[in-house]
Amino acid sequence: MSVIKRRGWATLLLGGVWAGCASSLHPLPQIEPRGVVVDAGAVAAALSEADEAWTERTLDSVRRSAEVGLGLVAEGGRRIEGSIVATRAMVWLAGHEPTAPSRRDAASAAVRVGQICRERVPLAAECAYWLGVALGVQARERRATALDALPRMVALLEEAAAGRPDLDEAGPHRVLSLVLLRAPGWPTGPGDPERALELATRATEIAPGWAPNWLALGEAHEAHRDRRAAEAAYRTALERAAEAGRRGTPEAGEWVDEARSRLLSLGPVPS
């Protein structure tokens, strides 16, 4: 059985960081396969290792998951599993690394690997989704890329929602809803609160047990100044988050805190 070599986190960021670039996408180097045939068993073992590390959701474990995924990316070919694993991990790291430079590096790397996924299998909904999410976290960490990223994100997430609405617990609908809620509206941006409410509602229908979908729905109702509906959505989010905590979902505590904070910010709802 062939072995998938590890090249180290820093050297697998595929070209380094392009700071200060207004474009949200990056020039990609040609990845030359190393000439080693990696059989299906080795790929499956690597993906299992990456998923196990991802499940722990600590800095060290998610870095390890990213490194395994990047090892698969570096093998070349048209397989996209490694790209998806690595992009997912680096998106998480972009929100959890302890320093701003490391968060920016992770965000830029997520976009690069998402682009590679898209280049290898252009019609894969998974590639569209994770590249769209990666562009969002990069826009947060590198504000200069936000204007260029917005229309790309909307197009990618729309594509993912049409092709694989079940991805990441209704992720395409949920993330697109948040983009349309928080972006400026016409003529300066794609913001659309009406469409955002439709998308968030659909996300709760696709994956009703996932607390972030209810948080997105609550935010959409707030945008429409419907405090009663927002409160109901946030209370459901709190219930779902507590259930996730009992199942051992690592982010459940964050969701509980966010739901409680949102409920407090609403204040008393008029009778």
Side-chain angles (χ1 to χ4, degrees):
M1 181 179 291
S2 57
V3 176
I4 298 172
K5 290 187 177 179
R6 308 294 171 77
R7 300 186 180 183
W9 171 256
T11 59
L12 277 173
L13 294 186
L14 304 176
V17 177
W18 294 67
C21 179
S23 173
S24 58
L25 298 180
H26 304 286
L28 291 178
Q30 288 296 113
I31 299 176
E32 296 295 337
R34 295 186 298 108
V36 176
V37 177
V38 180
D39 62 38
V43 172
L47 291 172
S48 178
E49 180 185 350
D51 283 340
E52 184 177 347
W54 166 256
T55 300
E56 294 179 32
R57 227 85 97 242
T58 66
L59 272 174
D60 286 343
S61 73
V62 177
R63 287 169 182 160
R64 187 165 70 254
S65 183
E67 186 176 342
V68 173
L70 288 166
L72 289 169
V73 173
E75 295 300 325
R78 292 182 60 78
R79 299 192 68 110
I80 60 172
E81 297 97 324
S83 300
I84 293 165
V85 162
T87 307
R88 176 184 67 180
M90 289 184 291
V91 162
W92 188 92
L93 290 169
H96 293 82
E97 285 283 3
T99 67
S102 59
R103 290 192 296 273
R104 288 194 295 269
D105 287 355
S108 295
V111 171
R112 279 193 180 78
V113 181
Q115 287 178 248
I116 291 169
C117 188
R118 187 83 169 152
E119 185 178 81
R120 289 180 176 175
V121 184
L123 298 182
E126 296 92 334
C127 297
Y129 174 63
W130 284 109
L131 178 55
V133 173
L135 287 169
V137 298
Q138 178 182 250
R140 183 190 66 213
E141 299 301 323
R142 296 180 177 278
R143 297 295 181 115
T145 68
L147 187 61
D148 183 68
L150 273 174
R152 299 183 194 274
M153 290 170 63
V154 171
L156 289 164
L157 293 168
E158 289 276 17
E159 181 182 329
R164 282 287 309 277
D166 59 312
L167 279 173
D168 194 26
E169 303 288 348
H173 286 78
R174 177 180 64 253
V175 177
L176 182 56
S177 173
L178 293 172
V179 170
L180 297 182
L181 279 174
R182 298 171 184 179
W186 187 89
T188 57
D192 185 346
E194 295 292 339
R195 175 74 172 135
L197 180 57
E198 294 173 7
L199 289 161
T201 301
R202 182 61 182 138
T204 64
E205 294 167 351
I206 295 168
W210 198 242
N213 293 336
W214 294 96
L215 290 169
L217 181 59
E219 186 171 334
H221 281 307
E222 279 199 80
H224 286 266
R225 295 182 171 81
D226 190 339
R227 295 177 68 194
R228 287 186 183 281
E231 180 186 34
Y234 290 141
R235 290 198 182 282
T236 303
L238 186 58
E239 292 170 5
R240 299 294 186 269
E243 291 167 3
R246 290 191 287 272
R247 294 193 301 269
T249 304
E251 294 87 357
E254 297 175 21
W255 301 337
V256 166
D257 290 345
E258 183 175 352
R260 286 175 174 164
S261 175
R262 294 280 190 169
L263 285 167
L264 285 172
S265 71
L266 283 178
V269 178
S271 59

